[in-house]
Amino acid sequence: MASYHKPDEKTLQGLRDIANKLRIHSIKATCASNSGHPTSCCSAAELMSVLFFHTMRYKADDPRNQCNDRFVLSKGHAAPILYAAWAEAGFVKESDLLNLRKLDCDLEGHPTPKLAFVDVATGSLGQGLGASCGMAYTGKYFDKASYRVYCMLGDGECSEGSVWEAMSFASYYKLDNLVAILDVNRLGQSEPAPLQHDMETYRKRCEAFGWNTYVVDGHDVEELCKAFWQAQQVKDKPTCIVAKTFKGKGLKNIEDIENWHGKPIPKDKLDVLKDLESQIQVPNKTVCPELPNDDVAPADLSPISLPSPPAYKKGDKMATRQAYGIALARLGQGSQRVVALDGDTKNSTFSELFKKVYPDRYIECFIAEQNMVGVAIGCATRDRTVAFASTFAAFFSRAYDQIRMGAISQSNVNLVGSHCGVSIGEDGPSQMALEDLAMFRAIPTCTVFYPSDAVSTERAVELSANTKGICFIRTSRPANAVIYSPDEKFEIGVAKVVRQSDSDVVTVIGAGVTLHEALAAYDMLKSEGKNICVIDPFTIKPLDAATILSCARATGGQIITVEDHYREGGLGEAVLSAMGGEPGIVVNRLAVTGVPHSGKPQELLDMFGISAKHIANAVRQTCAN
Amino acid sequence: VSVAIGCAVRDRNVVFASTFATFFTRAYDQLRMAAISESNINLCGSHCGVSIGEDGPSQMGLEDLAMFRAIPTSTIFYPSDGVSTEKAVELAAITKGLCFIRTSRPENNIIYNCNEDFHVGQAKVVFKSNDDHVTVVGAGVTLHEALAAAEMLKKERINVRVIDPFTIKPLDSKTIIDSARATRGRIVTVEDHYYEGEK
């Protein structure tokens, strides 16, 4: 085992000086913006100094280089000190620090990846460690590289359950390239954090979760240098540095005092700057971080294709959830970067089919959806992987904040939710996704696929892999007929008109199971001498408004939408919204109107008004009016 | 949210749980299950929209109306001033199902008298004339923006009717439709929220 060489006094003093410079930058910046969190920055100053100018190995002029150690500021409100660190490293212009929080500056109140040194946006607490786990997992098992991942958390944010989901995940997967740093500065926003400075309880909790843990004085650069060195020697366990610190450290009459969270230092207390400046012994010294090993190639960004067309015949019965599993396994051939994650539902979502072929590219996340989404987002950073994370669509609601932050993080993660709607049957409402379209439509950057058969599902998977932003694919439990031939082309924002004649009375739009109900309604109505136009939107967002409008004009402006989803925020409202400006268009929306119940799938479709019988009635009603 | 639901079972408490509106996304599964649990909890989400300012998007509620509208049993209050906010809190306490009150960070004028009556599903027409050309529907900060716009437009001899929906769900479609008919079918909606899943 390597032996520890204590840094010399000059180096240690240099790190102390940088810490104070970081404090000064943070205070000046938040004064200039008259908002921000200087006291949260001050507690982290020595931690940031040691990490950025002693421990981490990275190319300061190429922050996003794939070989670099990664740093995630999970306590994102300490953004000013992150920006200050990159200014000291030479990447950010020092004068730009004073443009913090301004409309025309990318140094925002909380970090976003508009900045090259930010991989995931933070600011909503408790999410940085999950993403860090994804990065560390990728480094250890996919890239098999030497880069390490460092994540700094606040003590207040350790009340978030997602932190402990990540703690479990990291030790389970032996992520010894991951270091979590807890900046235990005792004070939260409106009162002290629950454990205050009870360091022993923090130690016990971290050790109970399987982490190699050190409790340190967070303001002693020598202790920190040693702890980070020790972390690098430990195999098979992630390390947690539990740092005892003081909020507002270095600021007389502010340090460790309540009610200073989120407050810039007022003019009458700015003598603290002189105090800090006077402690800096070598003001003009610059420290260059050590470079990383060059042991990772840049990601291959060529488009990823299915190796051959989908192998289905029209009329075959196949559930879209199963088609997803088949598609993902086939897509895995197209690129090494494709990886899959699931939350202990792989035999229901069929992600297990990918796992069978590529066990080394599958990550079981167990029943912890917040963490699964975080890990997926982390895996996808720097384009290291093309990640597909799946569970029941309803359970993505558990991770809605992570999904929301994923968009702000400009993530390209792909999320696949099965068991949508009442059509799942007997398990009942707790397992039924009836609000997921609303949820995903409201996410900027999001593409929402709702394929209705196996062929279109395979193409949705292929398109997702190559589409930027968050992609959501909604899959169903029941087996339905294949309606497209293997060579049918699919595009985002392009609907398919699956039934059309020159005497259509109404345009009916359905998706997933309700597209098949619409086709059954078509047959019923045809036998009565009525024709309807039937549209499969393929993507709910973006919606093919042009096709819908042109079909609607041919049917006297009459549209009926039918969805296995609640009335709000889904297919019907998407169509209403798209047709909003058009005169003479009437949209009648069939949807699930209340909390559903256990029952047989077909019974439920009938009971909740979205079956073929109801569609046909709605058409007849429209004709009668 | 789970603790709030637990506190409210068997009617032991009338519970109000609050945080930034956007952080209710963290508890969306719990909120979804709360409706299936027939819970009567009241949620108050502050710091909605871009109007919070410098903290940036991680703190801004921009999808919360979409989120809460899609929950069965939910009532969504979006009061635009201090008086209507108090009434919203009072109504939430006595309304069954999930109640969500969306509040804002910036200070805005009081626009209602203290004795104004408020009801779930009842909008208020806050600015009108006998010859309005467009109906503008806003809420929270955008109601005040709409009133400012109405003043600007009045100077240009364009009269607009401004509506405060008070509750986004249920929405007072009758008042809005009546107003729209009086303004030749023209409606403009404006919200400090994303485009999708909205009112």
Side-chain angles (χ1 to χ4, degrees), chain A residues 575-623:
Chain A
V575 170
L576 252 185
S577 186
M579 301 293 109
E582 304 293 340
I585 305 288
V586 176
V587 183
N588 178 7
R589 297 176 290 136
L590 303 180
V592 176
T593 45
V595 175
H597 199 272
S598 286
K600 296 200 180 69
Q602 194 58 47
E603 287 173 343
L604 294 173
L605 292 175
D606 273 330
M607 182 177 195
F608 289 95
I610 55 174
S611 63
K613 163 173 100 182
H614 290 282
I615 298 169
N617 279 341
V619 171
R620 291 184 199 108
Q621 194 73 22
T622 306
C623 292

Side-chain angles (χ1 to χ4, degrees), chain A residues 28-154:
Chain A
K28 285 184 174 167
T30 49
C31 281
S33 59
N34 198 26
S35 76
H37 305 73
T39 54
S40 309
C41 294
C42 286
S43 60
E46 281 76 23
L47 292 165
M48 292 295 282
S49 171
V50 172
L51 277 169
F52 275 81
F53 299 101
H54 184 78
T55 303
M56 295 202 304
R57 301 195 300 174
Y58 61 100
K59 302 180 184 183
D61 58 352
D62 184 11
R64 206 164 270 176
N65 189 285
Q66 67 277 1
C67 302
N68 291 346
D69 283 350
R70 276 82 161 138
F71 178 76
V72 176
L73 184 67
S74 189
K75 51 174 278 184
H77 51 287
I81 201 170
L82 177 66
Y83 304 153
W86 283 96
E88 287 296 318
F91 185 77
V92 170
K93 251 181 24 205
E94 197 177 305
S95 56
D96 221 16
L97 294 177
L98 299 176
N99 291 324
L100 175 73
R101 294 174 160 238
K102 292 210 182 107
L103 192 63
D104 53 0
C105 181
D106 284 342
L107 301 176
E108 296 187 62
H110 296 77
T112 78
K114 289 195 195 101
L115 300 164
F117 51 84
V118 177
D119 287 293
V120 288
T122 50
S124 178
L125 297 171
Q127 299 190 31
L129 193 59
S132 300
C133 282
M135 295 175 200
Y137 191 103
T138 296
K140 182 169 174 136
Y141 297 110
F142 297 146
D143 285 339
K144 297 186 170 67
S146 61
Y147 63 77
R148 293 174 64 73
V149 183
Y150 295 87
C151 180
M152 185 180 302
L153 296 89

